[in-house]
Amino acid sequence: MSQYTRLLLSLGFLVLGGCDALPSLRQDKCDHGPWVEQVYGREVALYESCGVSPACLEKRSRNIEVALAAAPDEVDLHRIYQFVRRNHGPEAEERLIEEYRQRSEKNGTAEDVFLYARLLSDDAQKIALYEKAVRLDDSLPWPHESLAVLYQRVEDPESSAQSRQRFLTLCPSRFEI
């Protein structure tokens, strides 16, 4: 998709969706910025108004898909998209996992490996993929955060503490762990 097309989609999304700011690249990987907050706010409002009925899930999916069309590399939008799509049932979840597996293999970025790993259920497989994401880009905070939680769950407190420390070094204002 060309930059021009993305800009047009963004502007259309803003006019129709009521956003105040265009999506922009973040300076701080730990802050998802006001545009993502607005998309998330619409997601919450849709959920509160209609829940998880099939029609509502489709509305919620469209909300996120339009945002992703405008900012396809925004990790936080993919996280919201994954959450909504997982609610569409087991078959949809399998398609979602396959979509992100292919994306991870095709692009090979730390972000894509991280997003794929989030969807898996096997802790050992998730750890291996999160570690791969860290090797690809040690400055991406989210694999470190996920590793801290996973290492704690598999009773590896030393690795958990190291991952937690790295996350807090990258995101000193975040204390979500």
Side-chain angles (χ1 to χ4, degrees):
M1 180 180 305
S2 74
Q3 291 291 74
Y4 180 73
T5 304
R6 280 194 191 126
L7 178 61
L8 287 176
L9 283 170
S10 297
L11 292 173
F13 180 66
L14 296 174
V15 170
L16 296 174
C19 285
D20 298 327
L22 281 170
S24 62
L25 296 175
R26 297 178 277 171
Q27 299 296 346
D28 179 0
K29 288 184 179 183
C30 302
D31 176 30
H32 42 74
W35 189 71
V36 172
E37 286 288 336
Q38 290 170 350
V39 172
Y40 180 70
R42 277 196 310 281
E43 160 54 23
V44 169
L46 282 168
Y47 172 76
E48 288 174 350
S49 72
C50 60
V52 293
S53 69
C56 186
L57 284 172
E58 287 307 316
K59 277 185 197 176
R60 291 168 60 199
S61 291
R62 277 193 305 279
N63 172 50
I64 304 304
E65 289 165 357
V66 169
L68 277 171
D73 297 326
E74 179 60 61
V75 173
D76 288 325
L77 291 178
H78 283 279
R79 292 167 79 172
I80 298 168
Y81 174 76
Q82 287 177 342
F83 176 78
V84 172
R85 295 303 300 174
R86 287 184 106 166
N87 287 312
H88 285 249
E91 289 178 10
E93 187 170 358
E94 287 175 23
R95 286 190 304 274
L96 182 68
I97 292 168
E98 181 59 20
E99 173 186 342
Y100 279 89
R101 182 193 65 74
Q102 288 177 6
R103 182 183 168 99
S104 172
E105 288 178 0
K106 178 183 174 196
N107 300 332
T109 67
E111 291 86 350
D112 288 322
V113 171
F114 164 73
L115 289 166
Y116 171 52
R118 292 183 77 242
L119 297 170
L120 302 176
S121 57
D122 179 72
D123 285 349
Q125 194 176 12
K126 287 174 93 159
I127 288 171
L129 287 170
Y130 287 141
E131 294 217 352
K132 178 181 179 181
V134 166
R135 286 190 305 276
L136 290 168
D137 182 357
D138 186 56
S139 70
L140 184 67
W142 311 123
H144 295 287
E145 179 185 39
S146 298
L147 282 168
V149 172
L150 277 171
Y151 281 135
Q152 191 67 40
R153 187 166 47 209
V154 298
E155 299 180 11
D156 185 347
E158 184 177 323
S159 295
S160 178
Q162 289 172 353
S163 294
R164 183 179 309 106
Q165 183 56 48
R166 180 64 180 141
F167 174 73
L168 292 174
T169 299
L170 293 168
C171 301
S173 64
R174 301 287 296 250
F175 295 101
E176 294 179 354
I177 295 179

